Amino acid sequence: STLARETTCEPIEADAALARGRILMNLGVERRDDAQVALADARPLALAQRMWPLAVQAAARVIYLEGTSDAAPDRASADHDIALYEPLGRSLRGDHFAWPLLLNNIGVVGMAAGDASRALHYFQLAHAALGQIEARFADVQASTVAGIGLGHDELRRLAAVATRKARSEGHSAVGV
């Protein structure tokens, strides 16, 4: 992202910050704070450039990090970010991965907080939103249905089917 800053091109800088945050999240727990900083940097850059899906995608990941930390979950910050980004995500039109990702991650935060009804509600919303976009996001669909399925036998069966489908198409079942 240093090169992105040198270009002074904010859309590139926003994309780079999101990519950096995603990479850092995948490097493990010890990089969560660095990931959160990178993703938090991406949000205002994306908003300034009216890159709504990128802003919502970065927010979804920040919310996940805020609400699921083993050390000290910051649910107040997660709830604040949810209040800000849920309406923006809802307004996205077209084939956007960001909206179902946000809904899924709100569900994950609900699970982490022990609020099964909230988690189930958001997993169901995410599943419905995923039905509106292309099949290339089958990996997120599998993760979302798995979240829903934690409490329901029929949905557990759907989660297994979605996971097999995602894997057969070369995707891994991920939710963040």
Side-chain angles (χ1 to χ4, degrees):
S1 67
T2 302
L3 180 59
R5 283 189 207 107
E6 290 173 7
T7 67
T8 64
C9 181
E10 287 185 346
I12 293 172
E13 194 173 334
D15 277 329
L18 176 63
R20 182 171 189 269
R22 291 179 65 198
I23 290 166
L24 290 167
M25 284 179 75
N26 287 326
L27 291 178
V29 176
E30 62 277 355
R31 301 305 300 266
R32 284 177 72 100
D33 291 342
D34 296 331
Q36 195 165 338
V37 168
L39 294 164
D41 288 348
R43 291 185 304 183
L45 292 167
L47 290 170
Q49 297 301 309
R50 296 185 172 159
M51 299 169 72
W52 313 130
L54 194 147
V56 171
Q57 192 178 145
R61 288 179 163 84
V62 168
I63 289 164
Y64 173 85
L65 292 169
E66 289 170 338
T68 62
S69 171
D70 287 337
D74 186 356
R75 295 203 177 91
S77 292
D79 287 342
H80 177 263
D81 287 341
I82 290 165
L84 290 173
Y85 286 94
E86 188 174 359
L88 180 59
R90 188 178 305 111
S91 72
L92 295 176
R93 299 290 174 249
D95 184 25
H96 295 296
F97 161 79
W99 175 233
L101 177 68
L102 177 64
L103 294 169
N104 181 72
N105 286 0
I106 294 171
V108 171
V109 169
M111 283 179 55
D115 188 343
S117 64
R118 181 180 188 201
L120 179 60
H121 172 74
Y122 278 98
F123 287 140
Q124 289 171 331
L125 290 174
H127 182 63
L130 282 163
Q132 305 298 312
I133 62 175
E134 285 187 20
R136 64 190 164 115
F137 300 122
D139 54 338
V140 176
Q141 188 166 21
S143 174
T144 299
V145 175
I148 296 169
L150 292 174
H152 302 282
D153 290 336
E154 175 62 16
L155 293 171
R156 265 190 225 126
R157 187 190 64 73
L158 290 173
V161 169
T163 299
R164 282 193 300 276
K165 179 181 175 191
R167 289 189 178 136
S168 73
E169 293 173 359
H171 303 286
S172 62
V174 298
V176 296

